[in-house]
Amino acid sequence: MKMRNHTAVTEFLLMGIPHTEGMENVLLVLFLGLYLLTLLGNLLILLAILASSNLHTPMYFFLGNLSVLDIFFPSVSSPKMMLCLTGHSHTISFQGCATQLFFYHFLGCTECFLYTVMAYDRFAAICHPLRYMVLMKHQVCAILAVATWMGSCVHASVLTFLVFKLPYCGPNEVNNFSCDIPMMLSLACADTSLAQTVSFTNVSVVALMCFLLILASYIHIVISILRISSSEGRRRAFSTCSAHLTSILLFYGPVVLIYLWPASSLWLDTVVQVLSNIVTPSFNPLIYTLRNKDVKLALKKVIQYALLLFEQLPLDLWTGTE
């Protein structure tokens, strides 16, 4: 492909969701509310896990990692999106766009790997209960967590390098509130076939590999649960997996629509990506607490302690006591 002879782009314009002109105030209230709910919900989950010794188990260790991810993941694009919706500058620098894409895929891939590790944790707990604490001892959990984060860093680095080593010489309008691979490749003024092939293969292999490992884990889990003689035992075993399965469905749906679905529209891609950035992370605290008595009890203690501190703070300030 012949390169277009234009000045190199130094910044991009974030155009937002197509066909939503005049709805900025409504979208701002909606997305800001969801973002704050996401931060508060995941922060409470993280504090509950850290504060309660009953939750210092492998399952809640990985849930704590998920809460950290769900705090940072929407924070990659949400602050800039809020600024755009309030009428501030829609521009983002070339370096800022590259940074945004890197962290978007770094945190997204980490979440994908983390769901796979959580599926293995449930497999070990249900299929090998007597060996569970050996299979998931502290060293193993730490290695799995570090490998998850480091592997995702390599994945995101490769994608970011491939996308931003291409020349960009105009146009510079990104049809979204954030920079991502499909939109950026459409703006490049050189042959993008290598970047498209590698990025599609990379995302596909990671998503498919994780999905197959999760599927294999749950096939063994279902077989083990069906062998449990009591209906109460089967119900309890299924209940420990239901939250994880719900989160997986919410995670993989947008991934398929954005990166792997060949004929989706620009409007649908943009809406799905924006919603997956904010809505999905806000659901996870609800999913993991609604039917989990241990987490609910720990959250109740954290909230009571926070309220107690809040009540005592004005008195301490007034009397000057330490």
Side-chain angles (χ1 to χ4, degrees), residues 64-100:
N65 275 261
L66 182 63
S67 294
V68 172
L69 279 173
D70 285 339
I71 289 171
F72 286 112
F73 186 68
S75 301
V76 172
S77 59
S78 293
K80 182 62 179 178
M81 180 173 65
M82 304 306 168
L83 288 175
C84 292
L85 290 172
T86 54
H88 287 76
S89 175
H90 286 241
T91 61
I92 184 171
S93 68
F94 188 91
Q95 293 79 7
C97 196
T99 302
Q100 201 176 63

Side-chain angles (χ1 to χ4, degrees), residues 34-143:
L34 287 171
Y35 180 56
L36 294 177
L37 181 65
T38 298
L39 296 182
L40 178 61
N42 285 288
L43 183 61
L44 286 174
I45 292 285
L46 185 60
L47 290 175
I49 292 171
L50 292 173
S52 177
S53 59
N54 294 334
L55 302 184
H56 293 174
T57 64
M59 181 176 76
Y60 293 110
F61 169 73
F62 293 120
L63 180 57
N65 275 261
L66 182 63
S67 294
V68 172
L69 279 173
D70 285 339
I71 289 171
F72 286 112
F73 186 68
S75 301
V76 172
S77 59
S78 293
K80 182 62 179 178
M81 180 173 65
M82 304 306 168
L83 288 175
C84 292
L85 290 172
T86 54
H88 287 76
S89 175
H90 286 241
T91 61
I92 184 171
S93 68
F94 188 91
Q95 293 79 7
C97 196
T99 302
Q100 201 176 63
L101 187 143
F102 169 80
F103 280 105
Y104 183 77
H105 283 273
F106 169 50
L107 296 171
C109 184
T110 303
E111 190 159 358
C112 185
F113 286 156
L114 190 59
Y115 282 131
T116 308
V117 172
M118 292 171 77
Y120 173 72
D121 172 71
R122 293 299 81 208
F123 161 77
I126 293 174
C127 300
H128 303 284
L130 299 180
R131 299 174 55 208
Y132 176 64
M133 295 312 297
V134 175
L135 293 172
M136 299 302 294
K137 58 186 178 180
H138 295 311
Q139 296 91 329
V140 173
C141 292
I143 290 171

Side-chain angles (χ1 to χ4, degrees), residues 90-254:
H90 286 241
T91 61
I92 184 171
S93 68
F94 188 91
Q95 293 79 7
C97 196
T99 302
Q100 201 176 63
L101 187 143
F102 169 80
F103 280 105
Y104 183 77
H105 283 273
F106 169 50
L107 296 171
C109 184
T110 303
E111 190 159 358
C112 185
F113 286 156
L114 190 59
Y115 282 131
T116 308
V117 172
M118 292 171 77
Y120 173 72
D121 172 71
R122 293 299 81 208
F123 161 77
I126 293 174
C127 300
H128 303 284
L130 299 180
R131 299 174 55 208
Y132 176 64
M133 295 312 297
V134 175
L135 293 172
M136 299 302 294
K137 58 186 178 180
H138 295 311
Q139 296 91 329
V140 173
C141 292
I143 290 171
L144 288 172
V146 170
T148 292
W149 289 87
M150 294 301 295
S152 302
C153 184
V154 173
H155 166 83
S157 298
V158 171
L159 294 181
T160 306
F161 172 77
L162 285 172
V163 172
F164 285 95
K165 78 179 183 67
L166 294 167
Y168 292 88
C169 45
N172 66 338
E173 295 181 349
V174 179
N175 290 305
N176 205 324
F177 285 115
S178 61
C179 302
D180 198 11
I181 295 172
M183 290 79 72
M184 299 312 301
L185 291 182
S186 67
L187 299 177
C189 51
D191 185 7
T192 62
S193 57
L194 176 62
Q196 284 179 328
T197 302
V198 174
S199 61
F200 177 81
T201 303
N202 203 341
V203 173
S204 300
V205 168
V206 169
L208 183 61
M209 177 187 69
C210 292
F211 178 77
L212 290 177
L213 289 172
I214 292 170
L215 182 63
S217 296
Y218 272 99
I219 288 174
H220 285 87
I221 288 171
V222 170
I223 292 172
S224 296
I225 290 176
L226 292 177
R227 290 175 180 169
I228 298 175
S229 56
S230 68
S231 58
E232 177 63 19
R234 287 195 296 270
R235 187 192 66 78
R236 290 183 61 186
F238 272 121
S239 67
T240 63
C241 302
S242 59
H244 182 239
L245 285 172
T246 304
S247 295
I248 289 171
L249 292 175
L250 288 173
F251 175 80
Y252 270 95

